[in-house]
Amino acid sequence: MICYDLPHSVIIGGVEYKIRYSWRAVIDILAACADPELDEQCKAMCMLQIFYPDWDTIPGEYWPEACEKACDFIDCGQKDDGKPKTKIIDWEHDAPIIIPEVNKIAGFEVRTNPDIHWWTFFGWFMGIGDGLLASVLHIRSKKAQNKKLEDWERDFYKANAALIDIKAPETEEVKREKESIMKYL
């Protein structure tokens, strides 16, 4: 994929397939892939169903290639170095602080246009400078690397722990256990 073009389709097994290229479709894919209730096969199927409007016309033997092409698109055509990375952003958890920052860069309320191309949205996201989101990501990154926080960072963290700490979504099993315990209280 060439970053100067905004792709609206991909080639899989020599056949062109339309894609859902909007930022909201990609956020839905990222949310599905972060769902602890889904195994890897279910996550892949969610990706296919969200990303490709005609996913059911893609022959099964090409599904791995289709998933790879979807991942390439989500990564904006940039290759990953393959090294494991600590998660410092959660698109759902961080939405309340991401959207206002992207709005500032875009110059309008992006939620009013669900068809904005993912690469455009991500470009705006990457243009975010200093602000609340940058502070949150900076502190998460330092904590993930077990680096000492500066005094202001420690104070900011204490005041904003719920905003900074990414909580793993509860599984259905954990929810059921909590409900059964609550019956006795």
Side-chain angles (χ1 to χ4, degrees):
M1 289 184 201
I2 299 174
C3 67
Y4 295 114
D5 298 320
L6 296 177
H8 294 87
S9 63
V10 294
I11 305 295
I12 301 166
V15 177
E16 183 175 14
Y17 292 93
K18 291 196 179 302
I19 60 172
R20 290 190 179 99
Y21 54 82
S22 78
W23 68 278
R24 288 195 178 184
V26 172
I27 299 296
D28 288 344
I29 292 168
L30 295 172
C33 289
D35 188 337
E37 292 288 315
L38 300 177
D39 62 23
E40 294 306 309
Q41 186 176 358
C42 288
K43 290 176 183 182
M45 287 307 298
C46 286
M47 179 186 293
L48 292 174
Q49 292 174 6
I50 294 168
F51 193 65
Y52 298 101
D54 299 321
W55 72 273
D56 54 345
T57 64
I58 302 171
E61 67 264 22
Y62 291 113
W63 287 359
E65 180 184 350
C67 287
E68 185 178 317
K69 295 281 176 98
C71 289
D72 287 347
F73 176 86
I74 292 168
D75 292 339
C76 300
Q78 300 191 1
K79 296 295 177 203
D80 188 5
D81 61 9
K83 296 177 185 174
K85 293 176 181 50
T86 303
K87 181 177 180 176
I88 64 165
I89 192 158
D90 182 297
W91 289 91
E92 286 184 296
H93 175 83
D94 295 329
I97 58 176
I98 291 172
I99 296 298
E101 298 283 350
V102 170
N103 287 345
K104 278 194 276 185
I105 301 293
F108 68 97
E109 174 57 67
V110 297
R111 289 173 288 200
T112 62
N113 187 345
D115 293 325
I116 295 168
H117 197 282
W118 168 245
W119 287 14
T120 301
F121 181 90
F122 193 73
W124 291 331
F125 172 79
M126 294 303 290
I128 295 171
D130 292 337
L132 178 60
L133 179 64
S135 296
V136 166
L137 297 180
H138 177 75
I139 291 170
R140 280 184 193 157
S141 179
K142 284 183 89 170
K143 286 177 64 67
Q145 298 171 33
N146 294 316
K147 290 185 177 179
K148 185 179 180 197
L149 297 178
E150 303 286 332
D151 289 341
W152 77 267
E153 293 167 330
R154 230 180 350 271
D155 292 342
F156 184 84
Y157 176 73
K158 286 177 187 173
N160 298 285
L163 185 65
I164 296 169
D165 292 336
I166 300 173
K167 292 184 177 72
E170 286 186 347
T171 63
E172 285 302 315
E173 181 180 344
V174 169
K175 288 178 187 176
R176 284 192 299 274
E177 285 178 20
K178 282 184 178 180
E179 288 172 5
S180 68
I181 291 170
M182 292 303 288
K183 291 177 188 176
Y184 298 108
L185 298 178

